[in-house]
Amino acid sequence: MSNSTALFASAPLGPLTLPNRLVMAPLTRNRAEADGTPTPLMATYYAQRATAGLIIAEAATPNAVGQTYPNITAVHRARHVAGWRRVTEAVREAGGQMFLQLQHGGRVGHPATSGLTPVAPSPVPLPETVFTPGGHRPAVVPREMSTEDIRTTVADFARAARNALDAGFEGVEVHSANGHLLHQFLSANTNLRTDGYGGSVAARIRFTAEVVEAVAAEIGAERVGLRVSPGNTVNGIAEGETDQLYPALVERLGGLGLAYLHLVHADPDAPLFGRLRAGWPGVLIANPVLDESPSTDAVHRAAERLLAAGSDLIALGRPFLANPDLVARLRLGAPLNPVRGRYLMYVGGATGYTDYPALEASTAQPSSSSSEALDGPRVA
């Protein structure tokens, strides 16, 4: 079977059988209500993309202090669960399957948004502004988590995972990437602790490992994935010892029988990719590096390289945002809609969210330049 053919072949994932190997990656779109409850518009958005082999829904916070930005989703109250249930029912009716990403922002948050002082492994503020309901504001110094805070947060993740299954999700993805709380514990410049959660590689991976282990114990390891972004410097991260951190994390968690490991911006030519693929005994989801609005051929090439390097599933973000029928377009070699960046986040509403045309409704494909002229500059 060629890699191109394999992309559209069925694949096992824990207790599931996926109809293809294309995964819709989690990307925050800020369309929830102010308290984190998913909206009916979100149900429409995800149901439109139900032909993905698996949808990993956008990050949902496991507790109030974990909130990052305005209008992001949560999964720690009954109202959140009810809102997500409407989403999963719509996707299931359309033939799709969903996991929910669980994300705690850590220092990536602000009292103007959550009403709470952010928490983090150490009192090291984000070196950037933070988007709040009143616009961008300087980051605040986070409160260093006590060992009791850590235990409570681990329990919050486990409870959120149970809530996700109650809401109709097939499983959850623990987010330990992109500069959020779990990644902050992994990283030397944000984790200055001298207790059992900081300093050595073994200590810095401990919090992520304990969260994953608790979630797996709560809902079953076969329904739990882990997302990591080795070497990613977003949100002011400088990991240090990247080549030691992630093999150690894989070694600690590899025997649990997790549903998958999800690598962000995976480079099949990087030595670390090869080490992680060799060390991880289960399904590997790889998210390739792509332009903001890639061509069909570019997506195909990136996916085929990763499959050839040992990836089992391919996670795509912006291509799915702009193309509700991405699977069909890639199968047919049809052109892709460009992403309209102005409506990517923060603005709310259906524009740039549920109004991207499906292939049969497209009479012409605008170029990236015409899209920019229509939408204007990207919102920060």
Side-chain angles (χ1 to χ4, degrees):
M1 182 186 298
S2 70
N3 289 327
S4 180
T5 304
L7 196 58
F8 305 104
S10 63
L13 182 71
L16 308 179
T17 298
L18 308 187
N20 57 68
R21 296 172 187 265
L22 290 161
V23 175
M24 181 177 172
L27 283 175
T28 294
R29 302 300 305 278
N30 302 78
R31 260 72 174 189
E33 295 181 17
D35 73 346
T37 302
T39 61
L41 186 66
M42 292 174 60
T44 300
Y45 166 77
Y46 282 114
Q48 288 176 337
R49 290 151 179 83
T51 55
L54 178 71
I55 294 174
I56 307 174
E58 64 202 79
T61 58
N63 55 28
V65 75
Q67 183 176 5
T68 51
Y69 308 115
N71 301 102
I72 68 164
T73 66
V75 67
H76 55 86
R77 294 174 55 190
R79 195 163 185 264
H80 303 150
V81 173
W84 275 123
R85 191 175 294 118
R86 289 191 291 268
V87 175
T88 60
E89 287 173 352
V91 170
R92 187 169 290 111
E93 184 175 346
Q97 302 176 105
M98 298 185 78
F99 269 44
L100 177 64
Q101 186 183 78
L102 304 180
Q103 172 192 279
H104 189 303
R107 69 176 185 168
V108 185
H110 201 281
T113 302
S114 68
L116 300 167
T117 300
V119 297
S122 300
V124 181
L126 186 74
E128 305 164 8
T129 59
V130 178
F131 188 78
T132 74
H136 282 273
R137 295 192 179 185
V140 300
V141 177
R143 178 175 63 81
E144 179 171 310
M145 295 174 72
S146 67
T147 53
E148 179 59 28
D149 291 329
I150 289 172
R151 284 192 293 269
T152 299
T153 303
V154 169
D156 288 343
F157 269 93
R159 190 176 305 109
R162 174 56 59 189
N163 288 345
L165 263 61
D166 290 346
F169 288 96
E170 302 289 351
V172 301
E173 175 179 277
V174 174
H175 192 41
S176 186
N178 297 353
H180 297 293
L181 180 64
L182 275 65
H183 199 186
Q184 292 161 27
F185 270 86
L186 294 176
S187 303
N189 73 321
T190 49
N191 183 349
L192 309 181
R193 304 175 73 96
T194 58
D195 62 1
Y197 290 93
S200 69
V201 165
R204 279 153 52 200
I205 69 170
R206 179 180 170 186
F207 180 58
T208 291
E210 289 182 351
V211 168
V212 172
E213 289 160 355
V215 170
E218 179 67 28
I219 64 171
E222 73 281 2
R223 295 189 181 276
V224 181
L226 171 65
R227 194 182 206 212
V228 295
S229 56
N232 194 341
T233 60
V234 68
N235 286 318
I237 288 295
E239 290 170 345
E241 301 177 289
T242 297
D243 290 343
Q244 289 76 49
L245 279 169
Y246 292 96
L249 187 60
V250 161
E251 181 178 3
R252 173 157 175 173
L253 297 177
L256 286 182
L258 298 178
Y260 62 80
L261 177 68
H262 184 177
L263 298 182
V264 178
H265 294 166
D267 178 0
D269 296 327
L272 183 57
F273 177 92
R275 289 182 63 192
L276 296 180
R277 172 64 284 185
W280 182 253
V283 170
L284 181 69
I285 302 179
N287 166 234
V289 179
L290 294 167
D291 294 337
E292 288 191 1
S293 288
S295 67
T296 306
D297 286 345
V299 174
H300 267 293
R301 286 194 301 270
E304 290 168 8
R305 287 183 65 229
L306 286 165
L307 289 173
S311 302
D312 299 290
L313 304 171
I314 305 301
L316 300 170
R318 295 189 182 203
F320 266 114
L321 302 186
N323 299 275
D325 56 349
L326 179 65
V327 175
R329 288 176 185 261
L330 293 178
R331 192 188 299 271
L332 296 171
L336 303 183
N337 297 321
V339 174
R340 287 179 278 159
R342 179 180 179 183
Y343 299 101
L344 192 62
M345 296 194 300
Y346 303 147
V347 295
T351 304
Y353 191 59
T354 56
D355 65 342
Y356 279 105
L359 191 61
E360 62 271 18
S362 301
T363 57
Q365 299 296 325
S367 67
S368 297
S369 58
S370 65
S371 173
E372 181 68 18
L374 173 67
D375 292 334
R378 177 177 302 279
V379 172

